[in-house]
Amino acid sequence: MSITLNPNSDTGTTASAPGTPEPPRRTRTGAVRFVRNTPIGVWVAAAVLTFLVLAAILPSVFLQQDPFEIDPANAFAAPGAGHPFGTDQNGRDVFSRVIAGTGQSLLLGLAATAIGLLLGGLLGITAGISGKWVDSAICRFVEILFAFPGLLLALIVIAVSGTGVVTAALAVGVGTAPGYARMLRTQTLQVVAAPYVETALSLGRSRSHILWHTIVPNVARPLFVLVTLGIGQAIVWASSLSFLGLGAQPPAAEWGAMLADGRNYLQVAWWIAAFPGIFITLAALTTTVVGHHLQRRLEAEV
Amino acid sequence: MTTPVQHPLLTIDNLNVSFSTPRGPVHVVRDLSLALAPGQALALVGESGSGKTVTARTLVGLNAPNARVTADRLDVLGQDATRLSERRWRALRGKDIGYVLQDALVSLDPLRTVGQEIDEALRAHGVRRAERQERIHAALRDAGIPDPEVRARQRSNELSGGLRQRALIAQATVLDPRLVIADEPTTALDATVQAQILDLLAGLKEQGRGLILISHDLAVVSRLADEIAVMQHGRIVESGRAAEVLGNPQHAYTRQLIDAVPSAAGRGTRLSSVPRVAVGTAPSRTSAFAAEAPALEARTLVKTYPAPDGARRTVVDHVSFTLQPGTTLGIVGESGSGKSTTARIALGLTEPDAGTVTLGGLSWMGHPDGPGIVTEAVRRPHRPDIQLVNQDPLSSFDPRFSVQRVLTDALDAGAVGSPHEREDRAAELLGQVGLPLDLIHRRPLTLSGGQRQRVAIARALALQPRVLLLDEPVSALDVSIQAQVLDLLADLQEQLHLSYLFISHDLGVIHHVADHVLVLKDGRVVESGDASTLFVAPTTAYTRALLDAVPAMPVRTSSAAGSTRTAHTSEGAA
């Protein structure tokens, strides 16, 4: 072994020196490590989620029958050959209705999360970058909102603007906004205090450039994870509103509405309520599992 | 304690430690042999990754589960350490071997008091409750902590860095161990505090304990060690009596470590063997910066902050200085001396309560003439003229960016060229700071500390500044890497005619780089003047105390330089 220290030892050219583990090579083994580091449960959740997304985008691929076609002669048919999830009190195919409802449920979840993030982001980021007075004003406002349970906040919105799918999304969005506002404010405060923001300033960047090109992107970095975690919650809330008759209205094929519908027949035909309920759970569970996994991966990277 | 005093505490023959990893075994310690007698201090010296910490952890049985330890002989306090069960290790640890962990500032549990921390060691070894309180206070007192009864009830965040390190030493020595292992015990501490801790460790040695001292800095251990073992890539490349290793080093790597200590070498000498960087011809930027005016001038800066009790605490108190173009002004001071606040004012990030700063003859901070202050809008076009390199470069990079993006973004801030030209210039900048081009697509997170600091310097150079504000730029680096970065800074200053405002708590570094020096204490300038006169004949007691605290090599390499150089070449040929 050469006894003189390589002059470039600090520059990484002698990575093969004994005792120095090689730096991880992302490109070559990245895919292999990704597969190996992902637990089987996450794969199952991802597969179910993919199925749900496909059903939402292309319901016709899975639809066997018209979800609205009434067939009174065939009402309350138990799950079996022609109807894998059975039929409801009007003889409508539960499987087709569940599939048809996927799109609306997922869309409601997405839209509600987007609205919540937008409102929360506006409040949180403004609070984080503003001075003491604006910050504490927004904080107090958010704390007042926190005093109400999220669902109650959503009910207030519905009480003001009436029932319907769009209102339901807005209502759930408003209900989740305080949580996002608080998280994004903390994140913003951290980013604003980071030395790289000052570095941008001392390179001669303007404040608006720093806001849009340094602060906002770095605050938004963990948002992807936040969104996947939030969608699950939003789906459950939106379904709850529909279940209460405040969101999607019958005969719409929406999981919460179907659940409410089937509740009356739970003793004679459990399947009418059970399958929409299972799908609500699946949607919430899979988005949360995948979101948690992404969160862990991202945190490990940072 | 039936062991005779002359019995060695440690006997190690051919110790090998390797770690099994998914990519195969990694050998960290190879064929290491050592011995330690009571009352002796052995220093393990080497840069990060040389295997010194792993060696120390092997001696207390604290290696990671994937470690494989083999040795022809590994006797720790008369026991065969290769066969010790975890239970037996626990009996040894704390009681017979005290281990002072690295990173004094974060090694104490923030939720528990210092007394509880020490109590844990006593309880683990079954000391009776009645005795414990008294022994905690005694241990703290022995570790040089004043008012041990008060300190024992405090948590680590209420203690200064020096007190925390003392508390850790108290924790390691409370059970009166025969062997004390201290891993980088003075890193991150101010020079005067460092000197006190070294004195404390010397006291432990005089009480007849064996001491193993781990450090990357030969100057630190030279004060204390009887024997020095220099480690590189997991092997001991040279070992022997401290005076011999330092005075007549046989191995090229040892000489390199000795040369790297900046206090031993005067200004203008190179500390590392890294080739000089050649700065290509960069397109010169037009600027209102007046070349003949002082590069940076501060007049009677004052900055106060509100204290918790409602009063105002003066952090910077009438500080004035002048940085002449092409020279280096060193600012020395311990933690809390106001040097960082002064730096922030100079950088135009903190508004002073009073006083002004001019940058190349332009009003930069404060109230220049009469009412009104210089606004950010006025400063912004001149911001490229002064750039910062700080102690923790990683935090100054946008976490989303690759090395290339870090550099092109800086160029973009100055509206330099087209995107394509910026990429070319980024590559050029990497070359200027002596980094290979293949690092350009890496994330700064995956680079070593020295490499990160070079990237930070490259970014600072991107907009062709006139002044670099270097805030503890080498404090987090190993001595050998520090030497390379200091050499790089010297090359850049010479070729680009840069002016440096160099802030450090390390007088050795300041001595090496600075033309003029400003000594700060409690926000006030204690002493200032030419480096050559100030270091030779300090006029204030404080500066003298600082200078005395600088760990100096017992043997000046400058006197032996000629003979060692010849030894170097003859050995190289052999």
Side-chain angles (χ1 to χ4, degrees), chain A residues 1 6 9 11 27 34 39 56 63 83 96 98 100 112 126 142 144 148 197 211 218 225 232 247 252 294-295 302:
Chain A
M1 194 179 77
N6 188 310
S9 67
T11 58
T27 45
F34 178 79
L63 281 185
H83 305 285
S96 303
V98 166
T126 310
V142 169
I144 292 169
F148 301 96
V197 172
L211 174 63
N218 276 298
V225 172
L294 291 174
Q295 188 175 29
V302 179

Side-chain angles (χ1 to χ4, degrees), chain A residues 3-5 7 10-12 17-19 22 195-196 198-199 201-206 213-214 217-218 221 301, chain B residues 27 251 256 274 344 349 380 383 387 395-400 409 412-413 434 445 448 450-451 454 459 484 571:
Chain A
I3 50 164
T4 40
L5 178 78
D10 179 37
T11 58
E22 299 236 332
Y196 56 81
E198 266 180 6
T199 305
L201 189 71
S202 62
L203 283 167
R205 294 286 197 193
S206 69
H213 290 86
T214 305
N218 276 298
R221 246 156 63 93
E301 208 175 288
Chain B
H27 294 275
H251 196 278
Q256 222 157 24
V274 173
R344 289 183 58 86
L349 294 175
R380 189 166 300 136
R383 283 216 172 264
Q387 291 294 310
S395 67
S396 74
F397 302 135
D398 191 318
R400 298 170 301 150
D409 182 68
D412 179 60
L445 191 65
S448 71
Q451 290 170 336
R454 283 168 193 266
R459 176 188 47 200
Q484 296 175 11
E571 190 197 62

Side-chain angles (χ1 to χ4, degrees), chain B residues 165-188:
Chain B
Q165 186 65 70
R166 284 173 192 273
L168 280 179
I169 291 173
Q171 186 185 26
T173 54
V174 65
L175 284 157
D176 200 18
R178 284 181 282 160
L179 174 63
V180 175
I181 302 174
D183 196 350
E184 301 277 5
T186 62
T187 306

Side-chain angles (χ1 to χ4, degrees), chain A residues 147-170:
Chain A
F148 301 96
L151 207 55
L152 194 63
L153 219 55
L155 289 177
I156 295 170
V157 175
I158 287 172
V160 171
S161 49
T163 59
V165 182
V166 177
T167 327
L170 190 68

